Amino acid sequence: MRFFVVPAAALVTTVLAVTPVSARPDAPSPILTTPDARDTLSYAQPQVARVTHVDLNLAVDFRTKTIGGTAALDILGAPGAHEIVLDDNGLIISKITDSAGRSLPYQVGAHDEYKGAPLTVQIGAARRIIVTYRSGPEASALGWLSPALTAGKKKPYLYTQGQSINNRSWIPTQDSPGIRQSWTAKITVPSDLVAVMSGDRLTPKGVPAGRGRHSYRFRMDHNVPPYLIALAVGDLAFRPLGPRTGVYTEPSMLDRAARELSDTEKMVSTAEKLYGPYRWGRYDILVLPPSFPYGGMENPTLTFATPTIITGDKSNVDVIAHELAHSWSGNLVTNATWSDIWLNEGFTTYFENRIDEAVYGQARGATLADLSWDNLQRDLKEAKPDQTRLHGDPEGTFGELDYNKGATFLRTIEVAVGRPRWDAYLSSYFDRHAFQPQTTAGFLADLRANLIKGDKDLEARLDLDKWAYRPGLPANAIHIRSATLTKIDETLERVNSGAAMASVDPSRWSTQEWLRFLNGLPRKQTPARLAELDRDLHLSASNNPYVRSAWLVLAAQNRYEPAIASMAEFLPRVGRGLLIFPVYRALAGQGDWGRSIARRIYADARGNYHPTVIMTLDKLLGNAPAS
Ligand code: BES
Ligand code: ZN
């Protein structure tokens, strides 16, 4: 039996008129108890007592940069369970009570810099507890932006990033991807700002809450892993893109964002045709300010996306296909622990490519797949063998191998059994495991039971265990080649044997053609040749952030000083790790020359970045002021 406290009945009735929501949350999802499903990054002991529902009542305070209020947790306990262990990272807790307001004893254990600390609550017979708390000053999930870091420059902005284990810095719950929870929230913010979350948005307008504030209510009736609870607060406008799709962003970005994302509704219906119904109601996209650390984040019902994909030519909407695909791989079927993150990211990279191909045609699909192969080869070259296993260390898999080796694995199965059979299998897989955690072993067992079915020849051809558990790339890996990129290779050949850069015409290149070109240039270049490149292809001034990043890497690798101004302009204003880490790394790889430039730029940029990006760059460069 579980509790579910419904707010004021009258409110729910009006709400139902606005947004159709199911009457009650789903029954608790099962947890996995096999040894490979044990999450070493969480302190929770779900077999003793687990959280099944989180009800947040929080106010966002931009002055103190804290979120505070209460979290009411519904608990499912084993018979006789008298304590529950939650995850905590720097929360400032003032009290914990049962639902009658009686204080419950609790203790915060030893703090680990990455994992935070166990929060053990003596619940006695209580199966609902209320934690009164606020976030701490270093909350790793929270990106607090001053008005200067927004497009409008007038109002502050807040966004959260839960994956992988950041949400324990603002929500006291069991922060493990294998412990699914439904949730509800009431979020109070300044009246001139809008709050959005990764669930049904019950109060599109906000309800006055006094003292210049208003409140928004949200609910997620499906059980989700807690890293998928997300919040953003800012000066947001909304525009529909289709019957169940739309975009939120700052008003000045709305036109450009809506134009770039106009294929979103089609992507959703295409994805459904491939692998079954979209089960989350709406699919909206929030386009964030440029400090957002990722390309995108698959928060249910509301993908968070970097504005760096808005380049005016739709050439980066593969990021949207990716986040949308997570609505199946990741959000429906979820890695039980971060050691199996390839089940989220590899499946999604495969699925993403199938959406791209179906919406934009075979040539475009092949271009993206071929580029993913390039990335795979690059990572395999740079990684230590141990870092190339799909099932591996929760912190350790190298680069984007989870994505590209994982996707290549699934592509290899597809080619071996043929698309019709593979697609039917994959749809049934998502359906069989919907709203449940999964491990690598669980996937392989399912594949053997429902696709291979004892076919010894097929089993031998696939080499499944090698793919899943061994380093490197099995010999049966399928490489999709792109005719579009082969043309770029021909251009590269000409240029690399001395042709003038002015003979290259990139005026109609997509981002992917640019990347094949720039990354295909030999790493060692003369200053004269770099000057020619920059002059004829306008690289230092490129408005395409992918192009700018790839160029700055090449420039840094060659200690090309005329590009330093472009670095100093670009790096502080973009916070997306994938675009800025390679530039900082290339600089850091150039001894004192590069390190001092990197540290000088970073000193200026650090305050603009999300805490998780700061953590990575502090490690790379040290967080001392510029030397
Ligand atoms: N879920 C990831 C983002 C993520 C990964 C956050 C690991 C925290 C830890 C998201 O779906 C993603 O993969 N984003 C990519 C875009 C994609 C097209 C490869 C990104 O951020 O670049
Ligand atoms: Zn992803």
Side-chain angles (χ1 to χ4, degrees), residues 331-582:
N331 300 0
L332 265 194
V333 186
T334 309
N335 49 217
T337 76
W338 298 111
S339 294
D340 281 329
I341 188 175
W342 81 274
L343 293 175
N344 282 15
E345 299 301 345
F347 272 63
T348 293
T349 302
Y350 172 80
F351 189 169
E352 159 201 352
N353 194 249
R354 295 294 305 275
I355 297 172
D356 292 328
E357 182 193 297
V359 174
Y360 297 107
Q362 223 223 314
R364 174 82 185 145
T367 294
L368 290 157
D370 202 358
L371 210 63
S372 146
W373 178 268
D374 280 357
N375 289 344
L376 172 59
Q377 294 301 328
R378 186 202 57 210
D379 281 349
L380 286 171
K381 235 179 257 145
E382 291 176 24
K384 298 192 190 86
D386 229 27
Q387 300 171 306
T388 67
R389 298 175 205 270
L390 285 181
H391 171 81
D393 184 325
E395 296 167 61
T397 309
F398 188 86
E400 294 161 60
L401 285 170
D402 302 316
Y403 294 73
N404 299 316
K405 183 178 172 183
T408 304
F409 179 18
L410 300 194
R411 178 75 71 180
T412 302
I413 308 176
E414 174 213 303
V415 170
V417 302
R419 263 195 187 177
R421 208 173 135 198
W422 167 245
D423 285 352
Y425 166 75
L426 203 49
S427 293
S428 74
Y429 171 80
F430 288 133
D431 199 43
R432 268 194 301 284
H433 300 279
F435 302 109
Q436 290 173 45
Q438 182 60 294
T439 62
T440 293
F443 164 59
L444 294 185
D446 186 283
L447 193 70
R448 289 186 165 112
N450 297 293
L451 183 74
I452 300 175
K453 295 181 175 163
D455 179 340
K456 292 228 168 61
D457 174 58
L458 178 59
E459 174 80 48
R461 273 191 294 139
L462 289 177
D463 225 351
L464 300 177
D465 291 320
K466 190 163 189 184
W467 273 104
Y469 298 113
R470 305 281 297 274
L473 194 66
N476 61 356
I478 297 290
H479 174 189
I480 304 283
R481 284 167 214 274
S482 145
T484 312
L485 295 184
T486 302
K487 284 213 196 86
I488 300 291
D489 293 344
E490 289 160 14
T491 304
L492 268 171
E493 235 167 80
R494 275 198 304 111
V495 160
N496 290 343
S497 41
M501 289 297 172
S503 71
V504 176
D505 175 15
S507 54
R508 301 180 58 180
W509 282 356
S510 63
T511 295
Q512 291 69 32
E513 289 163 284
W514 272 108
L515 291 180
R516 178 77 151 225
F517 179 77
L518 290 171
N519 295 334
L521 290 168
R523 293 296 89 184
K524 199 89 218 98
Q525 295 283 341
T526 64
R529 192 64 161 165
L530 290 166
E532 189 193 345
L533 245 179
D534 197 5
R535 186 195 62 215
D536 293 342
L537 305 185
H538 312 292
L539 297 170
S540 285
S542 174
N543 285 326
N544 181 322
Y546 297 77
V547 171
R548 182 82 87 87
S549 170
W551 156 245
L552 294 177
V553 168
L554 183 67
Q557 288 168 333
N558 288 281
R559 305 194 179 190
Y560 182 66
E561 300 204 345
I564 295 173
S566 177
M567 294 176 195
E569 190 276 326
F570 178 72
L571 294 173
R573 92 182 145 76
V574 174
R576 181 179 176 191
L578 202 75
L579 298 178
I580 62 173
F581 293 149

Side-chain angles (χ1 to χ4, degrees), residues 56 58 67 89 91 133 135 139 141-142 160-162 166-172 187 197 229-231:
L56 301 171
L58 299 172
I67 302 183
N89 200 345
L91 299 173
Y133 73 102
S135 59
L142 306 181
T160 69
Q161 166 60 38
N166 302 317
N167 269 353
R168 59 192 70 176
S169 71
W170 73 287
I171 305 174
I187 306 287
M197 283 190 85
I229 306 177
L231 166 69

